[in-house]
Amino acid sequence: MNTAAIIISSLAMSQFAFLAAHFFLHYRNATGKLVAGFSLCTIAYLLNESVNTDNYTWVEIILGTMTTLAPFLLWLIASNLFVDEKKQHGVAWAALATCFIVDILGNVWLP
């Protein structure tokens, strides 16, 4: 990565860290926790893109797993804000668990 990309990524990570801290500390409801988690997943994505390692380490597996979690958290945020019925989505949780299992096994067995 060139210097400008590193600086811009670092600035974006700092802003997402402040966003996560703000929502986690000031909004103690479910939406605040989901936005804080989404911000942390976005930081993990930026770190995963900027860290270059030749082999799969546990750090890359954790960052990749958190990156995979970001779209699901975004869906949960939208569902929490805009859907009137507050029911649990069992199929969505099963799909997320399957996605994590496939992602982790793919990273461990097929580097």
Side-chain angles (χ1 to χ4, degrees):
M1 285 181 88
N2 59 11
T3 307
I6 292 172
I7 291 171
I8 291 171
S9 282
S10 299
L11 289 172
M13 283 187 269
S14 69
Q15 294 303 305
F16 278 112
F18 282 121
L19 183 71
H22 175 74
F23 270 92
F24 187 74
L25 294 175
H26 295 291
Y27 297 97
R28 295 277 178 170
N29 57 7
T31 305
K33 292 176 185 175
L34 287 171
V35 170
F38 179 73
S39 298
L40 292 177
C41 289
T42 307
I43 292 171
Y45 170 75
L46 292 169
L47 279 174
N48 195 21
E49 290 296 316
S50 63
V51 173
N52 293 330
T53 57
D54 293 335
N55 56 357
Y56 284 97
T57 61
W58 286 106
V59 173
E60 261 189 18
I61 292 172
I62 291 170
L63 290 178
T65 304
M66 287 180 68
T67 301
T68 305
L69 182 64
F72 183 72
L73 284 177
L74 186 61
W75 175 76
L76 279 178
I77 291 167
S79 175
N80 195 9
L81 289 175
F82 300 115
V83 175
D84 291 333
E85 305 165 352
K86 301 295 182 193
K87 64 177 184 174
Q88 295 292 329
H89 302 282
V91 174
W93 288 104
L96 178 70
T98 304
C99 183
F100 276 134
I101 291 170
V102 169
D103 187 34
I104 291 172
L105 291 178
N107 285 333
V108 171
W109 284 337
L110 302 171

